Amino acid sequence: MATEQNKLPAIISHCKEYGFIFPSSDIYDGLSAVYDYGQWGVELKKNIKDTWWKSMVYMHENIVGLDSAIFMHPTIWKASGHVDNFSDPMIDNLDSKKRYRVDHLIEGFAEQLAANSEEASKAILVSMDQLLSNDDFAGLKQLIIDHKIKCPISGTCNWTDVRQFNLMFSTQLGSVADDSDTIYLRPETAQGIFVNFLNVQKSGRMKIPFGIAQIGKAFRNEIVARGFIFRMREFEQMEMQFFVRPGTQKEWYESWKTTRMQWHLDLGIPAEKYRFHDHVKLAHYADAACDIEYDFPMGFKEVEGIHSRTDFDLTQHQLYSKKKQVYFDNDIDETTGKPYGNYVPYVIETSIGLDRTILLVLSEAYTEEDLSTPEKQDSRVVLKFPNKLAPIKLAILPLMKKDGLSEIAKELMNECRESFFCFYEEKDSIGKRYRRMDALGTPFCVTIDHQTKEDGTVTIRYRDSMEQERINMSDVRNKVMEALK
RNA sequence: GCGGAAGUCGUAUAGUGGUAAUACCUCAGCCUUCCAAGCUGAUGCCGACAGUUCGAUUCUGUUCUUCCGCUCCA
């Protein structure tokens, strides 16, 4: 039996054995923190995407979709701050083995110093900023040594050299390798939305407030990528950027917090498995930010971020592209009696990690049940997915592979396969086939037996309760369809 | 990246200086038929590369990968 401690390894094994998730490049010993989705994993992933897309795009008249390219103009990442802010110089203390961001370390020291001397404190920060903007790593180390800045843990000044870790993957566009051809694989999908803001707004005749939703891959060269599919170097995001009138961002931020949490709860996951975590230290672009955290097998971790990004991104792109990123608001401002006029919209971002959501759903669904009776030991592993997320919706099982039962089963198969994903199986005992479907999380199994030939009824068996009932074969399709709503 | 632990069929585990075992899974067949573990048979593993050795899966080194911590994030 898997305990909370070894639940994650149990899930990882189960995912591999039953075709959900394989390590990437498995026959070559894998590739660190990269995974492939197998035949059932890809269905699960698709179903989660569909659920999100439907809730965002289909259910909101003022939200539309987008699929922007992974390659983008390199200046976009200068404008967004990724070139400067996501390439932080780091330093390690050799005694405590702790790693620090150089700016955090020096800022912390300056803060302490400020208690005695405001001036000395400011002086350090000024020289730090200068060194940082010149990428002078040797100078930064010298600054740390000159001021005898110690590691808070070990209390020593035994430092490594300052090194840089760039979170963005770079590659070359075009056949001639040249600095000017260096482009990045996007570290977030958001910028693709921002640079298409006016395209979508104008061509879609969108009126503020409105949103643009996008699902796509993003890439981050994490220093430490760990935790199965929780933190991968290549991952998929489901993002929605919601453009609002300046001054209304607070209420929209709150509103999207509620809406997004409700989406999670609508998956049937209990509220106590979730919590909000408000950011105290805000990113350079935000005026409010929080995470939705889920209680993973390894503890509460972030699944989704909701950020009030202000007008930072559009203003930056306006600056770097020299193209106005403004919206003309015809609505009447009651205080002036005139239209609101031109402004750069504020943005509320909801950004959920698709792979993390998959791990969330798997963690919630994975169940080991002890079915032992005094006569017999018995257990099963069952994935209790919400019906709409299950890779296979219906298994169609002839009780025996003779007496024409297979033919009837295939008729039913053909009737249902257009409406939802079905799985046909005639091998092994019926009990074994039920259990195999439990392991894949199939919510419904239908068995065709001799009685079917007489009165057209079949047995439908429910995954979670293991209960069975007799229904008309002609009702099967509708019954499953009903359960998928 | 640093520290600690570990890599044996698809999964989970044995074991040995003379190239390997068990269970489940999978496959072929038999039997049975509404909840896995009945019978017969089959496929499939010592992460990789070096070194020591007559001989290495076992000892040593390197490397790769994974797990547990530290930092960043979706």
Side-chain angles (χ1 to χ4, degrees), chain A residues 270-302:
Chain A
E272 62 266 24
K273 299 300 278 291
Y274 286 106
R275 70 183 185 197
F276 281 111
H277 173 250
D278 290 312
H279 287 204
V280 184
K281 244 186 143 177
L282 294 170
H284 59 282
Y285 52 75
D287 72 356
C290 71
D291 301 329
I292 294 176
E293 296 185 336
Y294 169 77
D295 191 6
F296 283 99
M298 61 277 192
F300 272 99
K301 302 269 186 188
E302 175 185 1

PDB file of all heavy atoms in Angstrom, chain A residues 270-302:
ATOM      1  N   PRO A 270     -11.801  18.290  -3.514  1.00  0.00           N
ATOM      2  CA  PRO A 270     -12.259  18.964  -2.296  1.00  0.00           C
ATOM      3  C   PRO A 270     -11.491  20.261  -2.019  1.00  0.00           C
ATOM      4  O   PRO A 270     -10.289  20.361  -2.291  1.00  0.00           O
ATOM      5  CB  PRO A 270     -12.011  17.938  -1.185  1.00  0.00           C
ATOM      6  CG  PRO A 270     -11.164  16.885  -1.778  1.00  0.00           C
ATOM      7  CD  PRO A 270     -11.303  16.939  -3.247  1.00  0.00           C
ATOM      8  N   ALA A 271     -12.206  21.236  -1.474  1.00  0.00           N
ATOM      9  CA  ALA A 271     -11.639  22.569  -1.248  1.00  0.00           C
ATOM     10  C   ALA A 271     -10.437  22.536  -0.322  1.00  0.00           C
ATOM     11  O   ALA A 271      -9.519  23.341  -0.462  1.00  0.00           O
ATOM     12  CB  ALA A 271     -12.709  23.498  -0.682  1.00  0.00           C
ATOM     13  N   GLU A 272     -10.429  21.578   0.618  1.00  0.00           N
ATOM     14  CA  GLU A 272      -9.316  21.587   1.584  1.00  0.00           C
ATOM     15  C   GLU A 272      -7.995  21.159   0.961  1.00  0.00           C
ATOM     16  O   GLU A 272      -6.946  21.290   1.583  1.00  0.00           O
ATOM     17  CB  GLU A 272      -9.640  20.711   2.806  1.00  0.00           C
ATOM     18  CG  GLU A 272      -9.869  19.238   2.510  1.00  0.00           C
ATOM     19  CD  GLU A 272     -11.350  18.920   2.304  1.00  0.00           C
ATOM     20  OE1 GLU A 272     -12.120  19.844   1.936  1.00  0.00           O
ATOM     21  OE2 GLU A 272     -11.732  17.749   2.497  1.00  0.00           O
ATOM     22  N   LYS A 273      -8.046  20.652  -0.291  1.00  0.00           N
ATOM     23  CA  LYS A 273      -6.795  20.310  -0.949  1.00  0.00           C
ATOM     24  C   LYS A 273      -6.163  21.548  -1.614  1.00  0.00           C
ATOM     25  O   LYS A 273      -5.089  21.464  -2.188  1.00  0.00           O
ATOM     26  CB  LYS A 273      -7.025  19.227  -2.016  1.00  0.00           C
ATOM     27  CG  LYS A 273      -7.571  17.925  -1.493  1.00  0.00           C
ATOM     28  CD  LYS A 273      -6.658  17.266  -0.463  1.00  0.00           C
ATOM     29  CE  LYS A 273      -5.509  16.473  -1.075  1.00  0.00           C
ATOM     30  NZ  LYS A 273      -5.933  15.252  -1.761  1.00  0.00           N
ATOM     31  N   TYR A 274      -6.889  22.674  -1.571  1.00  0.00           N
ATOM     32  CA  TYR A 274      -6.391  23.901  -2.201  1.00  0.00           C
ATOM     33  C   TYR A 274      -6.182  25.001  -1.177  1.00  0.00           C
ATOM     34  O   TYR A 274      -6.824  25.024  -0.128  1.00  0.00           O
ATOM     35  CB  TYR A 274      -7.406  24.421  -3.228  1.00  0.00           C
ATOM     36  CG  TYR A 274      -7.467  23.622  -4.494  1.00  0.00           C
ATOM     37  CD1 TYR A 274      -8.534  22.776  -4.746  1.00  0.00           C
ATOM     38  CD2 TYR A 274      -6.467  23.741  -5.455  1.00  0.00           C
ATOM     39  CE1 TYR A 274      -8.607  22.041  -5.917  1.00  0.00           C
ATOM     40  CE2 TYR A 274      -6.537  23.015  -6.639  1.00  0.00           C
ATOM     41  CZ  TYR A 274      -7.599  22.170  -6.868  1.00  0.00           C
ATOM     42  OH  TYR A 274      -7.666  21.463  -8.026  1.00  0.00           O
ATOM     43  N   ARG A 275      -5.285  25.922  -1.516  1.00  0.00           N
ATOM     44  CA  ARG A 275      -5.207  27.166  -0.753  1.00  0.00           C
ATOM     45  C   ARG A 275      -4.610  28.252  -1.645  1.00  0.00           C
ATOM     46  O   ARG A 275      -3.929  27.968  -2.634  1.00  0.00           O
ATOM     47  CB  ARG A 275      -4.367  26.982   0.510  1.00  0.00           C
ATOM     48  CG  ARG A 275      -2.892  26.795   0.235  1.00  0.00           C
ATOM     49  CD  ARG A 275      -2.122  26.554   1.525  1.00  0.00           C
ATOM     50  NE  ARG A 275      -0.686  26.499   1.230  1.00  0.00           N
ATOM     51  CZ  ARG A 275       0.223  25.990   2.067  1.00  0.00           C
ATOM     52  NH1 ARG A 275      -0.145  25.493   3.233  1.00  0.00           N
ATOM     53  NH2 ARG A 275       1.493  25.992   1.732  1.00  0.00           N
ATOM     54  N   PHE A 276      -4.917  29.492  -1.285  1.00  0.00           N
ATOM     55  CA  PHE A 276      -4.300  30.633  -1.946  1.00  0.00           C
ATOM     56  C   PHE A 276      -3.021  30.992  -1.222  1.00  0.00           C
ATOM     57  O   PHE A 276      -2.950  30.912  -0.001  1.00  0.00           O
ATOM     58  CB  PHE A 276      -5.233  31.851  -1.917  1.00  0.00           C
ATOM     59  CG  PHE A 276      -6.313  31.813  -2.947  1.00  0.00           C
ATOM     60  CD1 PHE A 276      -7.643  31.636  -2.574  1.00  0.00           C
ATOM     61  CD2 PHE A 276      -6.013  31.955  -4.298  1.00  0.00           C
ATOM     62  CE1 PHE A 276      -8.649  31.606  -3.525  1.00  0.00           C
ATOM     63  CE2 PHE A 276      -7.017  31.930  -5.252  1.00  0.00           C
ATOM     64  CZ  PHE A 276      -8.331  31.750  -4.865  1.00  0.00           C
ATOM     65  N   HIS A 277      -2.042  31.371  -1.990  1.00  0.00           N
ATOM     66  CA  HIS A 277      -0.815  31.883  -1.381  1.00  0.00           C
ATOM     67  C   HIS A 277      -0.525  33.249  -1.987  1.00  0.00           C
ATOM     68  O   HIS A 277      -0.230  33.357  -3.180  1.00  0.00           O
ATOM     69  CB  HIS A 277       0.350  30.923  -1.639  1.00  0.00           C
ATOM     70  CG  HIS A 277       1.665  31.449  -1.189  1.00  0.00           C
ATOM     71  ND1 HIS A 277       2.660  31.836  -2.065  1.00  0.00           N
ATOM     72  CD2 HIS A 277       2.140  31.691   0.060  1.00  0.00           C
ATOM     73  CE1 HIS A 277       3.703  32.270  -1.380  1.00  0.00           C
ATOM     74  NE2 HIS A 277       3.422  32.201  -0.097  1.00  0.00           N
ATOM     75  N   ASP A 278      -0.676  34.288  -1.181  1.00  0.00           N
ATOM     76  CA  ASP A 278      -0.445  35.639  -1.692  1.00  0.00           C
ATOM     77  C   ASP A 278       1.037  35.940  -1.724  1.00  0.00           C
ATOM     78  O   ASP A 278       1.760  35.629  -0.783  1.00  0.00           O
ATOM     79  CB  ASP A 278      -1.160  36.668  -0.802  1.00  0.00           C
ATOM     80  CG  ASP A 278      -2.661  36.576  -0.971  1.00  0.00           C
ATOM     81  OD1 ASP A 278      -3.114  36.554  -2.124  1.00  0.00           O
ATOM     82  OD2 ASP A 278      -3.369  36.491   0.057  1.00  0.00           O
ATOM     83  N   HIS A 279       1.478  36.546  -2.820  1.00  0.00           N
ATOM     84  CA  HIS A 279       2.879  36.937  -2.926  1.00  0.00           C
ATOM     85  C   HIS A 279       3.117  38.196  -2.111  1.00  0.00           C
ATOM     86  O   HIS A 279       2.398  39.172  -2.253  1.00  0.00           O
ATOM     87  CB  HIS A 279       3.249  37.228  -4.389  1.00  0.00           C
ATOM     88  CG  HIS A 279       3.347  35.995  -5.215  1.00  0.00           C
ATOM     89  ND1 HIS A 279       4.092  35.927  -6.366  1.00  0.00           N
ATOM     90  CD2 HIS A 279       2.800  34.765  -5.061  1.00  0.00           C
ATOM     91  CE1 HIS A 279       4.000  34.720  -6.890  1.00  0.00           C
ATOM     92  NE2 HIS A 279       3.207  33.995  -6.113  1.00  0.00           N
ATOM     93  N   VAL A 280       4.120  38.134  -1.274  1.00  0.00           N
ATOM     94  CA  VAL A 280       4.490  39.329  -0.519  1.00  0.00           C
ATOM     95  C   VAL A 280       5.468  40.141  -1.347  1.00  0.00           C
ATOM     96  O   VAL A 280       5.305  41.329  -1.575  1.00  0.00           O
ATOM     97  CB  VAL A 280       5.110  38.944   0.839  1.00  0.00           C
ATOM     98  CG1 VAL A 280       5.397  40.196   1.647  1.00  0.00           C
ATOM     99  CG2 VAL A 280       4.161  38.015   1.594  1.00  0.00           C
ATOM    100  N   LYS A 281       6.493  39.443  -1.821  1.00  0.00           N
ATOM    101  CA  LYS A 281       7.469  40.093  -2.700  1.00  0.00           C
ATOM    102  C   LYS A 281       6.975  39.974  -4.130  1.00  0.00           C
ATOM    103  O   LYS A 281       6.872  38.878  -4.677  1.00  0.00           O
ATOM    104  CB  LYS A 281       8.829  39.395  -2.559  1.00  0.00           C
ATOM    105  CG  LYS A 281       9.909  40.308  -1.988  1.00  0.00           C
ATOM    106  CD  LYS A 281      11.257  39.626  -2.010  1.00  0.00           C
ATOM    107  CE  LYS A 281      12.332  40.653  -2.338  1.00  0.00           C
ATOM    108  NZ  LYS A 281      13.671  40.072  -2.313  1.00  0.00           N
ATOM    109  N   LEU A 282       6.632  41.091  -4.734  1.00  0.00           N
ATOM    110  CA  LEU A 282       6.029  41.039  -6.053  1.00  0.00           C
ATOM    111  C   LEU A 282       7.078  41.096  -7.154  1.00  0.00           C
ATOM    112  O   LEU A 282       8.118  41.720  -7.001  1.00  0.00           O
ATOM    113  CB  LEU A 282       5.056  42.210  -6.204  1.00  0.00           C
ATOM    114  CG  LEU A 282       3.835  42.140  -5.291  1.00  0.00           C
ATOM    115  CD1 LEU A 282       3.070  43.437  -5.321  1.00  0.00           C
ATOM    116  CD2 LEU A 282       2.933  40.971  -5.664  1.00  0.00           C
ATOM    117  N   ALA A 283       6.759  40.429  -8.265  1.00  0.00           N
ATOM    118  CA  ALA A 283       7.643  40.496  -9.436  1.00  0.00           C
ATOM    119  C   ALA A 283       7.638  41.920  -9.977  1.00  0.00           C
ATOM    120  O   ALA A 283       6.770  42.722  -9.630  1.00  0.00           O
ATOM    121  CB  ALA A 283       7.167  39.520 -10.497  1.00  0.00           C
ATOM    122  N   HIS A 284       8.591  42.209 -10.853  1.00  0.00           N
ATOM    123  CA  HIS A 284       8.758  43.580 -11.324  1.00  0.00           C
ATOM    124  C   HIS A 284       7.553  44.106 -12.081  1.00  0.00           C
ATOM    125  O   HIS A 284       7.387  45.289 -12.229  1.00  0.00           O
ATOM    126  CB  HIS A 284      10.015  43.673 -12.207  1.00  0.00           C
ATOM    127  CG  HIS A 284       9.970  42.779 -13.412  1.00  0.00           C
ATOM    128  ND1 HIS A 284      10.210  41.421 -13.341  1.00  0.00           N
ATOM    129  CD2 HIS A 284       9.690  43.048 -14.710  1.00  0.00           C
ATOM    130  CE1 HIS A 284      10.103  40.902 -14.551  1.00  0.00           C
ATOM    131  NE2 HIS A 284       9.779  41.859 -15.398  1.00  0.00           N
ATOM    132  N   TYR A 285       6.697  43.228 -12.567  1.00  0.00           N
ATOM    133  CA  TYR A 285       5.589  43.678 -13.402  1.00  0.00           C
ATOM    134  C   TYR A 285       4.242  43.705 -12.677  1.00  0.00           C
ATOM    135  O   TYR A 285       3.242  44.056 -13.259  1.00  0.00           O
ATOM    136  CB  TYR A 285       5.469  42.788 -14.641  1.00  0.00           C
ATOM    137  CG  TYR A 285       5.402  41.302 -14.322  1.00  0.00           C
ATOM    138  CD1 TYR A 285       4.242  40.744 -13.801  1.00  0.00           C
ATOM    139  CD2 TYR A 285       6.502  40.479 -14.521  1.00  0.00           C
ATOM    140  CE1 TYR A 285       4.178  39.403 -13.497  1.00  0.00           C
ATOM    141  CE2 TYR A 285       6.437  39.130 -14.226  1.00  0.00           C
ATOM    142  CZ  TYR A 285       5.272  38.606 -13.709  1.00  0.00           C
ATOM    143  OH  TYR A 285       5.215  37.275 -13.401  1.00  0.00           O
ATOM    144  N   ALA A 286       4.201  43.301 -11.413  1.00  0.00           N
ATOM    145  CA  ALA A 286       2.901  43.053 -10.784  1.00  0.00           C
ATOM    146  C   ALA A 286       2.569  44.056  -9.685  1.00  0.00           C
ATOM    147  O   ALA A 286       3.453  44.568  -9.005  1.00  0.00           O
ATOM    148  CB  ALA A 286       2.880  41.649 -10.209  1.00  0.00           C
ATOM    149  N   ASP A 287       1.262  44.318  -9.511  1.00  0.00           N
ATOM    150  CA  ASP A 287       0.847  45.092  -8.347  1.00  0.00           C
ATOM    151  C   ASP A 287       0.022  44.243  -7.377  1.00  0.00           C
ATOM    152  O   ASP A 287      -0.370  44.700  -6.316  1.00  0.00           O
ATOM    153  CB  ASP A 287       0.127  46.392  -8.736  1.00  0.00           C
ATOM    154  CG  ASP A 287      -1.265  46.174  -9.306  1.00  0.00           C
ATOM    155  OD1 ASP A 287      -1.663  45.002  -9.473  1.00  0.00           O
ATOM    156  OD2 ASP A 287      -1.945  47.172  -9.593  1.00  0.00           O
ATOM    157  N   ALA A 288      -0.231  42.998  -7.764  1.00  0.00           N
ATOM    158  CA  ALA A 288      -0.831  42.024  -6.851  1.00  0.00           C
ATOM    159  C   ALA A 288      -0.620  40.659  -7.487  1.00  0.00           C
ATOM    160  O   ALA A 288      -0.627  40.540  -8.713  1.00  0.00           O
ATOM    161  CB  ALA A 288      -2.317  42.278  -6.654  1.00  0.00           C
ATOM    162  N   ALA A 289      -0.405  39.652  -6.670  1.00  0.00           N
ATOM    163  CA  ALA A 289      -0.173  38.321  -7.223  1.00  0.00           C
ATOM    164  C   ALA A 289      -0.460  37.264  -6.169  1.00  0.00           C
ATOM    165  O   ALA A 289      -0.204  37.476  -4.979  1.00  0.00           O
ATOM    166  CB  ALA A 289       1.266  38.177  -7.707  1.00  0.00           C
ATOM    167  N   CYS A 290      -1.034  36.152  -6.630  1.00  0.00           N
ATOM    168  CA  CYS A 290      -1.221  35.032  -5.719  1.00  0.00           C
ATOM    169  C   CYS A 290      -1.111  33.732  -6.503  1.00  0.00           C
ATOM    170  O   CYS A 290      -1.160  33.726  -7.735  1.00  0.00           O
ATOM    171  CB  CYS A 290      -2.573  35.103  -5.021  1.00  0.00           C
ATOM    172  SG  CYS A 290      -3.946  34.762  -6.113  1.00  0.00           S
ATOM    173  N   ASP A 291      -0.923  32.658  -5.769  1.00  0.00           N
ATOM    174  CA  ASP A 291      -0.884  31.333  -6.374  1.00  0.00           C
ATOM    175  C   ASP A 291      -2.050  30.524  -5.847  1.00  0.00           C
ATOM    176  O   ASP A 291      -2.464  30.705  -4.708  1.00  0.00           O
ATOM    177  CB  ASP A 291       0.404  30.581  -5.971  1.00  0.00           C
ATOM    178  CG  ASP A 291       1.647  31.328  -6.388  1.00  0.00           C
ATOM    179  OD1 ASP A 291       1.597  32.034  -7.408  1.00  0.00           O
ATOM    180  OD2 ASP A 291       2.664  31.211  -5.682  1.00  0.00           O
ATOM    181  N   ILE A 292      -2.538  29.630  -6.691  1.00  0.00           N
ATOM    182  CA  ILE A 292      -3.417  28.572  -6.201  1.00  0.00           C
ATOM    183  C   ILE A 292      -2.522  27.373  -5.969  1.00  0.00           C
ATOM    184  O   ILE A 292      -1.848  26.909  -6.887  1.00  0.00           O
ATOM    185  CB  ILE A 292      -4.530  28.240  -7.207  1.00  0.00           C
ATOM    186  CG1 ILE A 292      -5.477  29.436  -7.350  1.00  0.00           C
ATOM    187  CG2 ILE A 292      -5.289  26.992  -6.765  1.00  0.00           C
ATOM    188  CD1 ILE A 292      -6.556  29.245  -8.398  1.00  0.00           C
ATOM    189  N   GLU A 293      -2.485  26.912  -4.731  1.00  0.00           N
ATOM    190  CA  GLU A 293      -1.629  25.786  -4.386  1.00  0.00           C
ATOM    191  C   GLU A 293      -2.482  24.550  -4.113  1.00  0.00           C
ATOM    192  O   GLU A 293      -3.568  24.653  -3.543  1.00  0.00           O
ATOM    193  CB  GLU A 293      -0.781  26.106  -3.152  1.00  0.00           C
ATOM    194  CG  GLU A 293       0.193  27.236  -3.397  1.00  0.00           C
ATOM    195  CD  GLU A 293       1.115  27.481  -2.216  1.00  0.00           C
ATOM    196  OE1 GLU A 293       0.744  27.130  -1.076  1.00  0.00           O
ATOM    197  OE2 GLU A 293       2.199  28.027  -2.425  1.00  0.00           O
ATOM    198  N   TYR A 294      -1.962  23.413  -4.527  1.00  0.00           N
ATOM    199  CA  TYR A 294      -2.647  22.135  -4.302  1.00  0.00           C
ATOM    200  C   TYR A 294      -1.778  21.268  -3.405  1.00  0.00           C
ATOM    201  O   TYR A 294      -0.546  21.340  -3.457  1.00  0.00           O
ATOM    202  CB  TYR A 294      -2.903  21.435  -5.643  1.00  0.00           C
ATOM    203  CG  TYR A 294      -3.362  20.006  -5.502  1.00  0.00           C
ATOM    204  CD1 TYR A 294      -4.675  19.714  -5.145  1.00  0.00           C
ATOM    205  CD2 TYR A 294      -2.473  18.950  -5.704  1.00  0.00           C
ATOM    206  CE1 TYR A 294      -5.091  18.400  -5.005  1.00  0.00           C
ATOM    207  CE2 TYR A 294      -2.882  17.635  -5.572  1.00  0.00           C
ATOM    208  CZ  TYR A 294      -4.201  17.360  -5.214  1.00  0.00           C
ATOM    209  OH  TYR A 294      -4.598  16.061  -5.070  1.00  0.00           O
ATOM    210  N   ASP A 295      -2.425  20.449  -2.627  1.00  0.00           N
ATOM    211  CA  ASP A 295      -1.709  19.576  -1.692  1.00  0.00           C
ATOM    212  C   ASP A 295      -1.217  18.323  -2.428  1.00  0.00           C
ATOM    213  O   ASP A 295      -1.852  17.270  -2.373  1.00  0.00           O
ATOM    214  CB  ASP A 295      -2.639  19.201  -0.530  1.00  0.00           C
ATOM    215  CG  ASP A 295      -1.876  18.525   0.598  1.00  0.00           C
ATOM    216  OD1 ASP A 295      -0.640  18.460   0.525  1.00  0.00           O
ATOM    217  OD2 ASP A 295      -2.532  18.078   1.555  1.00  0.00           O
ATOM    218  N   PHE A 296      -0.082  18.468  -3.116  1.00  0.00           N
ATOM    219  CA  PHE A 296       0.524  17.351  -3.848  1.00  0.00           C
ATOM    220  C   PHE A 296       1.079  16.325  -2.854  1.00  0.00           C
ATOM    221  O   PHE A 296       1.202  16.621  -1.663  1.00  0.00           O
ATOM    222  CB  PHE A 296       1.672  17.878  -4.727  1.00  0.00           C
ATOM    223  CG  PHE A 296       1.224  18.578  -5.978  1.00  0.00           C
ATOM    224  CD1 PHE A 296       1.161  19.966  -6.017  1.00  0.00           C
ATOM    225  CD2 PHE A 296       0.871  17.864  -7.101  1.00  0.00           C
ATOM    226  CE1 PHE A 296       0.745  20.621  -7.166  1.00  0.00           C
ATOM    227  CE2 PHE A 296       0.458  18.513  -8.259  1.00  0.00           C
ATOM    228  CZ  PHE A 296       0.396  19.891  -8.291  1.00  0.00           C
ATOM    229  N   PRO A 297       1.444  15.131  -3.352  1.00  0.00           N
ATOM    230  CA  PRO A 297       2.065  14.148  -2.445  1.00  0.00           C
ATOM    231  C   PRO A 297       3.309  14.722  -1.756  1.00  0.00           C
ATOM    232  O   PRO A 297       3.660  14.301  -0.663  1.00  0.00           O
ATOM    233  CB  PRO A 297       2.444  13.001  -3.381  1.00  0.00           C
ATOM    234  CG  PRO A 297       1.487  13.099  -4.512  1.00  0.00           C
ATOM    235  CD  PRO A 297       1.212  14.568  -4.683  1.00  0.00           C
ATOM    236  N   MET A 298       3.957  15.697  -2.406  1.00  0.00           N
ATOM    237  CA  MET A 298       5.148  16.278  -1.769  1.00  0.00           C
ATOM    238  C   MET A 298       4.812  17.592  -1.070  1.00  0.00           C
ATOM    239  O   MET A 298       5.707  18.352  -0.733  1.00  0.00           O
ATOM    240  CB  MET A 298       6.273  16.447  -2.798  1.00  0.00           C
ATOM    241  CG  MET A 298       5.969  17.360  -3.961  1.00  0.00           C
ATOM    242  SD  MET A 298       5.039  16.540  -5.286  1.00  0.00           S
ATOM    243  CE  MET A 298       5.179  17.755  -6.595  1.00  0.00           C
ATOM    244  N   GLY A 299       3.547  17.843  -0.799  1.00  0.00           N
ATOM    245  CA  GLY A 299       3.161  19.026  -0.042  1.00  0.00           C
ATOM    246  C   GLY A 299       2.451  20.054  -0.900  1.00  0.00           C
ATOM    247  O   GLY A 299       2.260  19.848  -2.100  1.00  0.00           O
ATOM    248  N   PHE A 300       2.027  21.160  -0.279  1.00  0.00           N
ATOM    249  CA  PHE A 300       1.344  22.227  -1.009  1.00  0.00           C
ATOM    250  C   PHE A 300       2.306  22.897  -1.980  1.00  0.00           C
ATOM    251  O   PHE A 300       3.373  23.365  -1.581  1.00  0.00           O
ATOM    252  CB  PHE A 300       0.793  23.278  -0.039  1.00  0.00           C
ATOM    253  CG  PHE A 300      -0.580  22.948   0.461  1.00  0.00           C
ATOM    254  CD1 PHE A 300      -0.756  22.363   1.713  1.00  0.00           C
ATOM    255  CD2 PHE A 300      -1.697  23.211  -0.319  1.00  0.00           C
ATOM    256  CE1 PHE A 300      -2.025  22.052   2.178  1.00  0.00           C
ATOM    257  CE2 PHE A 300      -2.975  22.911   0.143  1.00  0.00           C
ATOM    258  CZ  PHE A 300      -3.139  22.325   1.394  1.00  0.00           C
ATOM    259  N   LYS A 301       1.941  22.901  -3.263  1.00  0.00           N
ATOM    260  CA  LYS A 301       2.792  23.523  -4.284  1.00  0.00           C
ATOM    261  C   LYS A 301       1.914  24.288  -5.272  1.00  0.00           C
ATOM    262  O   LYS A 301       0.747  23.943  -5.471  1.00  0.00           O
ATOM    263  CB  LYS A 301       3.569  22.460  -5.073  1.00  0.00           C
ATOM    264  CG  LYS A 301       4.454  21.577  -4.220  1.00  0.00           C
ATOM    265  CD  LYS A 301       5.832  22.149  -4.094  1.00  0.00           C
ATOM    266  CE  LYS A 301       6.726  21.164  -3.362  1.00  0.00           C
ATOM    267  NZ  LYS A 301       8.022  21.731  -3.056  1.00  0.00           N
ATOM    268  N   GLU A 302       2.535  25.240  -5.939  1.00  0.00           N
ATOM    269  CA  GLU A 302       1.801  26.088  -6.861  1.00  0.00           C
ATOM    270  C   GLU A 302       1.382  25.352  -8.143  1.00  0.00           C
ATOM    271  O   GLU A 302       2.185  24.681  -8.781  1.00  0.00           O
ATOM    272  CB  GLU A 302       2.683  27.284  -7.234  1.00  0.00           C
ATOM    273  CG  GLU A 302       2.049  28.164  -8.278  1.00  0.00           C
ATOM    274  CD  GLU A 302       2.979  29.284  -8.730  1.00  0.00           C
ATOM    275  OE1 GLU A 302       4.115  29.357  -8.247  1.00  0.00           O
ATOM    276  OE2 GLU A 302       2.530  30.076  -9.579  1.00  0.00           O
TER     277      GLU A 302
END
